[in-house]
Amino acid sequence: MKAARLPVLLLGLVILAAIVGPMLLPWRHDAIDWNAVRVPPGSPGHPLGTDMVGRDLLARSLAGTRITLLVAAAAAGVSLLIGVAWGAVAGWKGGRIDEAMMRIVDGLYALPFMFVVILLMVLFGRSILLVFLGIGAVEWLTMARVVRGQVLALRERPFVLAAEAAGARAPAIMIGHILPNLAGIAIAYLLLTIPQVVMIESFLSFLGLGVQEPLTSLGILVKEGADDMDVAPHALLLPGGILVTILICLTLIGEDLRDRLA
Amino acid sequence: MRALILRRLLTALPTLLAVVILSFLLMKVAPGGPFDSERALDPATEAALARAYGLDLPLHEQVWRYLLRVAQGDFGPSLVYRDFTVTDLVAQGLPVSLTLGALALVAALAIGIGAGLFAAARAGRPVDHAIMLAMTLLTALPSFVTGPVLALVFALWLGWLPVSGWGDGRPAFLVLPVIALALPVAGAIAKLTRAGLATALAQDHVRTARARGLSPLRVLVRHALRPALVPVASYLGPAAAGLLTGAVVIETVFALPGLGGYFVQGALNRDYPLVLAVVILYAALILLFNLIADLAYGWLDPRIRG
Amino acid sequence: MSAVYAVAGLEVHAGDRAIVRGVDFAIAAGECVALVGASGSGKSQTCLAPFGLSPLRAMGSARLCGEELVGADEARLRRLRAAHTGFVFQQPLTALTPHLRIGRQLDEAWRQAGAPRPDRRDLVALMARVGLDRGDEWLDQYPHRLSGGQRQRVMIAAAIAHGPRLLVADEPTTALDAGLRRDVMALIARLRREEGLALLLVSHDLPAVAEHADRVVVLEEGHVAEAGDAARIFAEPRADYTRALIAASPRLTDPPPDLPLAGGTLLEARGVAVSFPRPGWRRGRIAAVAGVSIGLGRGEGLAIVGGSGSGKSTLGRAIARIGPADAGAVRWQGRDLPPRKAMRPGDRRLIQPVFQDPVASLDPQWRVADIIAEPLRHLRPGLDAAARDEAVARAIAEVELEPAIARRRPATLSGGQAQRVAIARALVAEPEMLLLDEATSALDVLVAGRVLDLLARLQRARGLAILFISHDLAVARRLCGRIAVMDGGRIVEEGDMEAVIRTPCHPVTRALVAASA
């Protein structure tokens, strides 16, 4: 528990700021202040400065964080649902069904995900809904593998056989024995999926293929900052810093949880 | 072992085939797609497309013709880069991307396995924890953040290295892109190596080797390292995918004339033949890396050879 | 005569806590000293810690060929190990490096004390000395190609390759199948004679110790319960602990136990067959049980005995309808038991299982009370909470546990406690037959002895029929008057327990009898 306390705290702060922050700030993330174009941090009214067209960086960063986290949570949810369902069915049914389902997962694993998501974007137009559906639909594979492995192992555990001998039927065994013993590891991998999803979303947005204006996300802000970094490095460092903080915290929490459950 | 490789091939080839066919069909049904007759294209391109894909033929004929063309390396004309075929663009960009990717893979393996070994040799000491924490942080750093930040610090502020460009492949121009690309993969490899070594060092055969009075280094390298690298081998496929993906963004950040740049422009401008070609090509590359990983298993652990 | 290895006032510390203290013994060339004790008694640590092969720290004195090991730095320990000692460990399957050929590993062992590189003939001769006559072929093989017994011989060859003066054998036969144990111990004894090796043997196989050791040190929870001449200790043990230890490892030479009389036929299985699909994409199935028929009377104990992979567990599960079955019928008092998926609560009640691994037998998320109550909830759903609690409390008392255990979780239980909870869960269903699948083999000897006693009492008090699946004949004999020996999915010999022990016919049976003699 000790190791993960700081990341939990930091992540909590970032989430809180992303939710509450935009309500407290005088500037909207897309409002342009013509009197303060590209001002440095510490300027009056813009504590962290503005970008090249005079939009408040703090407001933009918080709004971007909000979208990034939203997409991440939704996409991770999609991946959790598909992954647990797929893995649990494969592991429980076993035999040929398991074999076939896992071959499909193996096959999908061998695809360049990012490119497939981009292909989908190109074909069906860019929309935020498609962003998280697309990401969720490709990020469930690891979850499915982990869940399937656990179910397969649990199914042969003596306590499950004893439950069968005790008269418990499949649904009762699933709910009473399999799922509770699965929950911890599934949550750990959910936490490890979220940074992956955040990374993909930011990556797509960085390339201009993800979240579209007027919405903003951390990926878009990093891209804008990188384009302008020779004159306003803080425009790169602020959203980049928030993004990296989120990724690192989630990774540390997830790994800590996984290591304690594995 | 042969059965394993055969099985992989039996999975890989249908996967690739499915990718090609599905992408082609998706392209057919996509609104505003290249074959959408309401889309305004100049007549020359339209005619070229119709010729290339036999749009008047029945669907399965079209798919078959497309497969044949892909098998011959013909991906049709590019919609964005007029006067170029997709194959021309790939021939221009791929060498740059492959150079970048290969260097980054070598760097990631060297840094990752090195750091993992170094940490394992000092297991349980503060150095071990510090290195592994640093490696965890590396895995969480996206290359599109580290790339610009590295450029900002080492090129703009310190002026040690060029900010961007290819410079005809001169080493100075490659240092920052390769590092930015390699770091997250290096972090992942280091963690896998360290975890693998921890498992291997706890095994009975390592105690046997220690009982023989061998030096700790010899025990580590000769008796523990090879089994410890099995997880690293299985990571080769995902690592290749990560590097190819990362290369897209790194090429954008550092203005390198690789395939990634064309790909992004193609994606933004809905250049279907180009995007499709890159997806198929990269899928094939990743499948190839999975096969290499399978061969590596056999060397690392003879029990897999059977 | 000066000792090759002498230990005086030896202590082993984990952190600042002594887990072993006050151990003294000395081994001269050609002698064998054995460390015995239950698991957790510290015998392996006593053996390994002075050589720096355990994370724990040794204190006191341990002198190898006159040089002090305790307090020596890592480099010096390495040199002393390389020069004077050979080690044989428990697990032949994992104790050899999987990715190095046998020849490379023997070569490494040969040169560990500084000898020049051996040529191929040297290594072939070395393998011949440990009874491996196809050495020339096997030198180029990886360890996984060899059987467990062959690997243990390779392990012994590596341990003596450099001409050590002390051989340390830590449970050298524990992981081997019964038939191989005597051969491997005989090999070690022959090498000891031929080479004049001092042998430090750690074992819980008391018959083997009695046969081979000159002196014995009995360890009880980290201190010496008794030490002295081996013949004297086995003939007239002085410490209670030693007597308990000897009594807890049943032997076939013990008088036959007094078993309850068998009643009329309870269960009859005919032509039970189970097969599993071959792994991977290969076609076909592997037959695990090939058409087995057995019968069991009311209150009778039947032992199904066989080596690993003989199909005995699969057979037991198929009969109890908690595992797959391809063919065959199971009749219960003249009525067919339905197949696995169609078992009704009334059918489930009849046969209750207890498994080998006590920890894996209990859902780690559940409390003991809920675990024991599980059969009641499914088999007697009409029972109210108070009646259920009462039944659970009765079952806890019946397996001789404290009532307070009901609130605990499995992770906090010892192996013996966990196994008693598993037995209590089986009992609340009020079964007429128990399926005991290696139910005592994962437990420590002393604990296993007490659990066996409990099972014997329950068998008599409740008139329980018992299907006892085991690899150990002497243990099975405590509860069973009849025996069926399995090999390769078939029953190869069947009959009255005492008769089979007296005149075993099939080679598998003879090996099992020899192993428990």
Side-chain angles (χ1 to χ4, degrees):
Chain A
M1 210 57 220
K2 237 184 302 164
R5 197 168 290 165
L6 184 65
V8 170
L9 205 71
L10 265 177
L11 188 66
L13 276 178
V14 171
I15 293 173
L16 193 72
I19 294 170
V20 179
M23 300 178 205
L24 303 177
L25 289 174
W27 298 98
R28 280 174 47 82
H29 72 273
D30 52 355
I32 294 170
D33 181 356
W34 295 108
N35 300 319
V37 172
R38 216 181 244 163
V39 297
S43 308
H46 299 288
L48 292 173
T50 59
D51 67 4
M52 53 206 154
V53 291
R55 293 175 296 192
D56 186 78
L57 259 181
L58 182 60
R60 285 184 72 69
S61 294
L62 292 179
T65 308
R66 191 189 250 189
I67 294 287
T68 294
L69 288 175
L70 209 65
V71 172
V78 172
S79 81
L80 179 75
L81 280 180
I82 305 180
V84 170
W86 191 278
V89 169
W92 184 257
K93 289 286 175 194
R96 295 268 177 247
I97 296 176
D98 174 39
E99 191 88 13
M101 287 177 86
M102 283 303 118
R103 267 307 96 70
I104 292 175
V105 170
D106 286 347
L108 290 176
Y109 244 116
L111 290 184
F113 290 140
M114 195 71 83
F115 298 95
V116 173
V117 174
I118 291 175
L119 185 66
L120 290 176
M121 301 282 152
V122 171
L123 290 174
F124 295 101
R126 303 165 213 153
S127 84
I128 188 164
L129 188 74
L130 195 61
V131 172
F132 72 65
L133 277 181
I135 301 173
V138 296
E139 273 294 326
W140 57 272
L141 298 174
T142 307
M143 182 70 83
R145 270 192 183 173
V146 169
V147 167
R148 179 251 182 190
Q150 287 281 311
V151 172
L152 214 56
L154 286 170
R155 204 180 57 151
E156 291 301 316
R157 284 288 183 82
F159 68 74
V160 171
L161 294 181
E164 188 179 355
R169 300 205 171 269
I173 292 177
M174 206 53 169
I175 293 167
H177 293 290
I178 306 276
L179 289 179
N181 281 293
L182 201 65
I185 202 83
I187 290 170
Y189 276 89
L190 177 67
L191 286 180
L192 287 173
T193 305
I194 297 177
Q196 295 299 318
V197 173
V198 170
M199 196 112 59
I200 297 181
E201 183 277 323
S202 316
F203 178 92
L204 290 174
S205 298
F206 180 93
L207 294 177
L209 292 165
V211 174
Q212 301 292 311
E213 296 283 356
L215 291 177
T216 192
S217 89
L218 290 175
I220 295 178
L221 294 171
V222 169
K223 170 67 175 164
E224 289 173 0
D227 289 344
D228 210 22
M229 68 182 177
D230 42 349
V231 277
H234 64 278
L236 166 65
L237 296 177
L238 177 65
I242 297 178
L243 181 61
V244 167
T245 307
I246 293 175
L247 290 171
I248 288 178
C249 290
L250 282 167
T251 306
L252 290 177
I253 299 169
E255 288 194 347
D256 183 56
L257 198 59
R258 181 196 58 196
D259 292 347
R260 273 188 289 136
L261 290 168
Chain B
M1 188 64 199
R2 208 174 297 154
L4 181 72
I5 290 179
L6 205 68
R7 206 179 80 172
R8 279 286 197 179
L9 272 176
L10 282 178
T11 319
L13 291 178
T15 305
L16 200 57
L17 213 61
V19 171
V20 177
I21 293 173
L22 268 179
S23 324
F24 183 78
L25 293 178
L26 276 175
M27 219 153 62
K28 296 282 298 182
V29 301
F35 307 129
D36 191 336
S37 53
E38 313 209 343
R39 198 183 142 100
L41 284 172
D42 68 283
T45 316
E46 190 111 38
L49 273 177
R51 245 194 339 276
Y53 298 107
L55 293 181
D56 45 349
L57 296 170
L59 192 60
H60 65 271
E61 285 277 330
Q62 293 183 34
V63 171
W64 177 242
R65 285 177 66 133
Y66 183 68
L67 280 176
L68 280 181
R69 302 176 68 89
V70 166
Q72 290 160 13
D74 176 4
F75 292 95
S78 163
L79 302 187
V80 175
Y81 300 91
R82 302 294 165 87
D83 310 325
F84 287 98
T85 65
V86 169
T87 312
D88 293 337
L89 295 176
V90 169
Q92 276 178 30
L94 194 60
V96 174
S97 296
L98 284 185
T99 310
L100 184 64
L103 286 175
L105 183 63
V106 171
L109 282 170
I111 299 172
I113 295 177
L117 262 175
F118 190 81
R122 285 153 188 77
R125 296 198 213 151
V127 196
D128 176 23
H129 297 301
I131 290 179
M132 289 336 287
L133 182 65
M135 291 297 143
T136 304
L137 299 190
L138 282 190
T139 59
L141 288 181
S143 48
F144 59 89
V145 175
T146 39
V149 170
L150 283 174
L152 182 66
V153 174
F154 291 100
L156 284 177
W157 290 354
L158 295 172
W160 292 352
L161 292 162
V163 180
S164 65
W166 178 234
D168 293 325
R170 264 176 289 147
F173 285 84
L174 279 171
V175 174
L176 288 180
V178 166
I179 291 178
L181 192 53
L183 283 184
V185 180
I189 291 177
K191 286 166 71 175
L192 289 171
T193 308
R194 176 70 184 86
L197 280 171
T199 311
L201 285 173
Q203 277 170 0
D204 291 340
H205 74 259
V206 167
R207 186 175 59 177
T208 308
R210 291 188 54 226
R212 249 165 236 165
L214 305 179
S215 73
L217 189 67
R218 192 178 161 90
V219 171
L220 199 62
V221 173
R222 187 172 158 135
H223 290 271
L225 186 58
R226 254 159 74 175
L229 288 181
V230 169
V232 176
S234 44
Y235 180 66
L236 273 182
L243 288 174
L244 292 174
T245 316
V248 171
V249 83
I250 289 296
E251 284 168 16
T252 314
V253 168
F254 289 95
L256 301 176
L259 202 49
Y262 291 130
F263 177 72
V264 173
Q265 283 313 309
L268 287 170
N269 296 299
R270 314 191 79 181
D271 186 345
Y272 303 87
L274 179 55
V275 170
L276 204 51
V278 175
V279 170
I280 292 169
L281 197 64
Y282 281 6
L285 265 175
I286 292 169
L287 291 171
L288 178 71
F289 264 86
N290 279 321
L291 270 178
I292 295 176
D294 289 337
L295 290 173
Y297 288 144
W299 179 71
L300 292 170
D301 187 348
R303 281 171 295 188
I304 295 170
R305 268 179 257 163
Chain C
M1 191 163 65
S2 77
V4 173
Y5 184 55
V7 157
L10 183 75
E11 298 183 2
V12 179
H13 289 247
D16 44 10
R17 199 169 54 87
I19 61 157
V20 174
R21 57 172 73 240
V23 180
D24 305 273
F25 61 83
I27 318 174
E31 275 191 331
C32 171
V33 168
L35 299 175
V36 300
S39 49
S41 61
K43 55 188 193 297
S44 270
Q45 294 301 336
T46 305
C47 158
L48 297 178
F51 296 96
L53 290 177
S54 141
L56 307 184
R57 200 161 39 95
M59 310 269 278
S61 167
R63 298 177 79 83
L64 174 64
C65 302
E67 299 202 58
E68 182 60 57
L69 297 176
V70 176
D73 61 25
E74 170 63 27
R76 197 173 137 84
L77 276 180
R78 278 210 321 266
R79 189 178 58 71
L80 290 170
R81 283 203 301 266
H84 301 308
T85 56
F87 288 84
V88 179
F89 296 116
Q90 178 173 353
Q91 291 291 347
L93 298 183
T94 54
L96 293 167
T97 301
H99 60 263
L100 295 179
R101 295 173 200 274
I102 302 286
R104 295 274 299 275
Q105 303 196 46
L106 288 177
D107 174 272
E108 188 178 82
W110 184 282
R111 293 189 292 149
Q112 74 182 61
R117 184 180 282 279
D119 60 30
R120 205 176 165 84
R121 278 191 319 253
D122 294 330
L123 296 182
V124 172
L126 174 64
M127 291 192 49
R129 269 167 65 204
V130 296
L132 295 173
D133 45 7
R134 287 163 68 193
D136 195 42
E137 177 186 335
W138 283 337
L139 281 177
D140 296 320
Q141 291 290 359
Y142 291 100
H144 69 276
R145 294 291 189 138
L146 274 58
S147 72
Q150 288 163 348
R151 272 185 257 192
Q152 196 62 313
R153 285 172 190 271
V154 170
M155 189 71 204
I156 293 168
I160 60 158
H162 57 296
R165 300 187 59 196
L166 174 69
L167 185 66
V168 180
D170 184 5
E171 302 270 13
T173 60
T174 308
L176 299 176
D177 258 350
L180 292 168
R181 291 187 188 162
R182 291 174 65 85
D183 296 348
V184 168
M185 274 316 294
L187 169 65
I188 292 177
R190 177 167 61 78
L191 291 170
R192 173 160 71 100
R193 264 194 324 274
E194 288 174 6
E195 317 269 325
L197 282 168
L199 174 63
L200 175 56
L201 176 68
V202 174
S203 181
H204 71 263
D205 182 356
L206 293 186
V209 169
E211 188 180 340
H212 293 282
D214 298 305
R215 283 189 303 285
V216 174
V217 178
V218 183
L219 284 173
E220 175 186 9
E221 288 173 12
H223 70 269
V224 177
E226 185 168 4
D229 184 64
R232 198 276 298 157
I233 283 191
F234 285 102
E236 39 184 299
R238 286 178 199 147
D240 292 341
Y241 182 79
T242 315
R243 274 194 288 275
L245 213 55
I246 293 172
S249 18
R251 300 172 67 171
L252 293 180
T253 48
D254 298 340
D258 175 28
L259 293 170
L261 289 174
T265 302
L266 190 65
L267 173 135
E268 243 186 313
R270 281 195 193 287
V272 176
V274 187
S275 65
F276 295 104
R278 285 179 191 281
W281 283 108
R282 278 171 294 176
R283 285 171 178 280
R285 300 172 74 83
I286 302 166
V289 177
V292 167
S293 302
I294 56 164
L296 190 59
R298 182 175 291 280
E300 185 190 28
L302 169 63
I304 310 274
V305 182
S308 47
S310 59
K312 55 190 193 300
S313 281
T314 311
L315 171 67
R317 288 175 190 195
I319 289 174
R321 297 295 194 229
I322 54 173
D326 300 343
V330 177
R331 290 179 78 75
W332 184 274
Q333 294 187 313
R335 180 177 68 86
D336 271 333
L337 274 189
R340 183 179 186 185
K341 300 277 181 214
M343 290 283 279
R344 292 183 307 270
D347 307 319
R348 283 286 179 208
R349 178 186 70 85
L350 305 172
I351 310 175
Q352 289 292 311
V354 177
F355 300 99
Q356 173 170 12
D357 183 345
V359 177
S361 295
L362 312 178
D363 190 327
Q365 310 281 340
W366 289 31
R367 285 181 197 284
V368 167
D370 298 323
I371 291 171
I372 298 177
E374 189 175 22
L376 293 177
R377 275 202 307 277
H378 297 296
L379 302 178
R380 298 171 64 189
L383 223 56
D384 64 24
R388 217 160 45 208
D389 289 349
E390 204 192 303
V392 168
R394 261 201 317 274
I396 288 177
E398 200 170 354
V399 296
E400 298 158 356
L401 289 171
E402 294 295 317
I405 208 163
R407 287 189 300 277
R408 287 167 61 182
R409 293 202 190 262
T412 67
L413 303 180
S414 71
Q417 286 173 326
Q419 201 61 315
R420 283 166 195 264
V421 169
I423 294 170
R425 169 177 56 194
L427 292 180
V428 288
E430 303 197 346
E432 294 174 35
M433 171 183 153
L434 288 184
L435 168 69
L436 302 176
D437 189 351
E438 301 271 12
T440 60
S441 25
L443 302 173
D444 177 66
V445 250
L446 292 178
V447 177
R450 288 195 286 268
V451 170
L452 268 180
D453 291 343
L454 169 69
L455 288 167
R457 276 200 298 283
L458 291 171
Q459 180 186 23
R460 185 171 291 279
R462 287 188 168 231
L464 283 169
I466 286 179
L467 194 60
F468 194 95
I469 292 162
S470 179
H471 67 278
D472 188 331
L473 243 174
V475 169
R477 181 171 174 244
R478 291 276 294 271
L479 298 176
C480 303
R482 272 198 316 125
I483 180 173
V485 179
M486 274 189 86
D487 188 51
R490 297 175 193 280
I491 289 181
V492 295
E493 186 162 2
E494 191 181 1
D496 176 72
M497 176 72 83
E498 300 307 322
V500 169
I501 290 171
R502 261 194 315 276
T503 50
C505 300
H506 195 272
V508 172
T509 318
R510 275 199 291 264
L512 286 164
V513 170
S516 303

